[in-house]
Amino acid sequence: MKEKQIELGIKMLEQEFGAQRVRRAIDAVQAFRVEVPSWVFGNFGAGRFGDFTPSGIARNIFEKLEDAAQIHKLSGATPRVAMHMLWDFSQDGRTPSWKMVEKVDQAAGELGLGIGAVNPTYFLKGSHRNTYAAEEKTTVDDYVEQTVIAAEIAKKYADKLVTLWFPDGSSYPGQVQLRQAYRKMKEALLRTMEKIDRDVFVLIEYKVFEPGTYHTVISDWGTSYLLTRELGENAGVLVDLGHHPHATNIEQIVTRLIEEGVPGGFHFNTRYAADDDHSVEPNPELARIFYELVLGDVVTNPKADKNWAYMIDQCSGREHRMHAILHSIDSLQIALAKAMLVDTVALTELQERDEIILANRFFNASLILADVRPIVATARLEKNLRADLLAAYEASGYRTKTDAERV
Ligand code: PSV
Ligand code: MN
């Protein structure tokens, strides 16, 4: 968008939604922070057609951090990087190493970044027969120990946040006892939480399937929620947008968790794959999710402890990594800006009058129809950032440099 278009766009938005609401939307975009995952910058392969990898892929955690720093420099929105224990903090890919943690922490600090959520890696060793629900005690013990170390790292070096995703379950009916798998998961979680300091926060992620296709132990938000109830106040639910059946009303899940006061976190992506492979798109679903987060006061709340934890979780196969993550940040900011434009008082009035279509049209005027790119652009320009993140990246010279260096 050209400068003139941005100015004109702001004027039009002010006319429709009021200058105050537009200003608040700009402020919210400026205040919003989201973590990027270290793993997005690396080589994820493209499945069976894995011969192809996009150019400029980071080859180790230190190059991943350089990429993350470049993203933060352009966006001003991503000062923290989520880490994966055995990908980022291990020398042999099998055991966590404190030496690596120190090196990574130092490298991040030098680049103006911090370590974000710490993710135990439950899928590299011994997990072919489940993780916390495994038959083999040594597997469970190993993973419990890794999780406890993750919590220590999160406390000493990061934001006191640990996020757990368990690749669990079974592929055929009869393969495992369903109740027992759940019980084992719960027991191991309880055992873990007893060893973790109470001021470290643990979010439990659910996923409709993977690797278990017939059943996954923590398959939905209800299971995560039930488990957190047993675990104490420092446990909460992690909603990964991609981890639902396609028709799931995710914004409704968000409202239930907020209403029940359950601590929450978000992994953003787009769910075409019923997974977390894709970049975030600025679609109506995302805007509705943000509307509920805004209404629930759990995003850009000046009282930091009221906010949910926000992370991008994507692992692109074919896309250029830096484009993919910048696109996600842009999409999140667009969705937040749209959510900020809704006049909730006027909407409530329509709801009370049972004006079904009018309420829907009013809602969509902000969440679908408003072009909020001028808001997002203004938020950036006021912070001396470039209005267009992808154009800024292309002009930065970073791509040419990393393409040449990372062969
Ligand atoms: C697998 O679905 C997964 O993408 C989960 O969403 C985790 O959050 C992520 O991997 C990192 O382990
Ligand atoms: Mn996730």
Side-chain angles (χ1 to χ4, degrees):
M1 268 187 156
K2 305 237 161 60
E3 230 165 274
K4 270 266 158 292
Q5 279 176 292
I6 297 170
E7 263 174 47
L8 199 67
I10 290 286
K11 283 204 181 102
M12 286 173 68
L13 287 164
E14 285 177 347
Q15 273 180 20
E16 186 173 355
F17 300 99
Q20 209 187 20
R21 205 160 274 116
V22 170
R23 184 64 242 175
R24 278 203 227 124
I26 297 170
D27 293 344
V29 170
Q30 288 176 341
F32 181 64
R33 295 285 175 275
V34 63
E35 277 182 21
V36 294
S38 69
W39 50 95
V40 74
F41 301 109
N43 187 1
F44 246 92
R48 276 167 219 247
F49 309 104
D51 237 10
F52 172 79
T53 44
S55 60
I57 293 239
R59 294 162 299 182
N60 53 53
I61 179 60
F62 303 103
E63 289 182 353
K64 289 176 185 178
L65 288 171
E66 279 167 23
D67 287 355
Q70 178 68 10
I71 297 292
H72 183 46
K73 188 172 153 196
L74 297 170
S75 71
T78 57
R80 290 194 174 265
V81 186
M83 299 284 169
H84 230 292
M85 289 285 287
L86 300 186
W87 290 340
D88 301 329
F89 294 148
S90 174
Q91 263 146 350
D92 59 5
R94 297 180 77 78
T95 41
S97 142
W98 280 101
K99 209 163 145 206
M100 272 300 285
V101 177
E102 274 158 32
K103 274 190 182 173
V104 170
D105 177 60
Q106 194 187 339
E110 283 165 10
L111 290 162
L113 299 170
I115 296 176
V118 182
N119 294 251
T121 313
Y122 298 126
F123 39 73
L124 291 183
K125 186 173 75 165
S127 58
H128 59 290
R129 296 226 300 161
N130 290 322
T131 58
Y132 268 24
E135 283 296 324
E136 295 76 13
K137 191 166 175 312
T138 48
T139 302
V140 185
D141 288 350
D142 270 6
Y143 282 137
V144 169
E145 191 191 319
Q146 198 200 123
T147 313
V148 173
I149 297 173
E152 285 165 10
I153 296 170
K155 181 158 175 167
K156 190 157 175 221
Y157 292 93
D159 243 1
K160 297 185 184 158
L161 176 64
V162 176
T163 46
L164 313 183
W165 174 67
F166 297 96
D168 255 305
S170 61
S171 296
Y172 293 91
Q175 182 186 336
V176 302
Q177 273 197 37
L178 302 184
R179 256 174 74 189
Q180 197 189 59
Y182 175 74
R183 193 181 312 131
K184 277 174 163 292
M185 171 64 71
K186 189 160 77 179
E187 280 166 7
L189 277 168
L190 279 165
R191 189 143 66 85
T192 306
M193 294 304 277
E194 276 163 18
K195 297 182 182 176
I196 288 181
D197 286 352
R198 283 279 160 196
D199 59 347
V200 174
F201 226 79
V202 176
L203 292 175
I204 299 180
E205 184 170 359
Y206 58 91
K207 182 168 189 172
V208 60
F209 51 76
E210 197 195 356
T213 40
Y214 164 64
H215 118 278
T216 300
V217 182
I218 308 182
S219 55
D220 53 23
W221 75 271
T223 313
S224 287
Y225 175 69
L226 285 175
L227 289 166
T228 61
R229 295 308 80 196
E230 302 265 344
L231 299 179
E233 287 184 353
N234 58 331
V237 175
L238 178 56
V239 182
D240 183 312
L241 213 156
H243 288 189
H244 304 84
H246 272 306
T248 309
N249 182 339
I250 296 170
E251 54 269 29
Q252 192 187 11
I253 296 173
V254 169
T255 61
R256 287 178 188 138
L257 296 174
I258 293 174
E259 186 60 23
E260 291 297 337
V262 181
F266 230 104
H267 271 181
F268 293 111
N269 42 59
T270 299
R271 58 171 159 171
Y272 297 129
D275 201 345
D276 42 38
D277 293 357
H278 295 292
S279 290
V280 186
E281 283 202 324
N283 57 29
E285 175 187 46
L286 189 70
R288 290 194 297 267
I289 289 170
F290 265 94
Y291 173 72
E292 297 302 343
L293 296 169
V294 166
L295 203 63
D297 253 343
V298 297
V299 65
T300 63
N301 191 322
K303 289 183 192 147
D305 62 330
K306 300 276 178 239
N307 288 320
W308 280 20
Y310 296 107
M311 296 152 275
I312 293 169
D313 182 14
Q314 65 187 59
C315 54
S316 321
R318 291 250 292 110
E319 307 87 309
H320 190 277
R321 303 296 192 263
M322 303 293 270
H323 287 179
I325 200 86
L326 289 169
H327 178 50
S328 290
I329 297 163
D330 195 45
S331 303
L332 292 168
Q333 292 176 332
I334 286 174
L336 172 60
K338 286 184 176 224
M340 293 298 295
L341 289 185
V342 180
D343 178 345
T344 36
V345 177
L347 180 64
T348 309
E349 227 171 77
L350 290 169
Q351 290 166 346
E352 282 169 1
R353 285 183 9 228
D354 199 25
E355 288 293 1
I356 299 168
I357 295 297
L358 295 185
N360 175 245
R361 285 177 67 84
F362 186 78
F363 203 41
N364 290 344
S366 319
L367 296 187
I368 297 181
L369 300 172
D371 181 355
V372 297
R373 287 175 300 167
I375 291 180
V376 173
T378 305
R380 291 186 192 136
L381 291 171
E382 285 182 359
K383 287 169 72 183
N384 292 323
L385 300 167
R386 292 271 301 275
D388 183 330
L389 295 183
L390 279 100
Y393 171 71
E394 286 296 305
S396 69
Y398 191 84
R399 183 174 188 168
T400 328
K401 180 177 160 283
T402 48
D403 275 4
E405 280 172 7
R406 299 176 184 176
V407 181

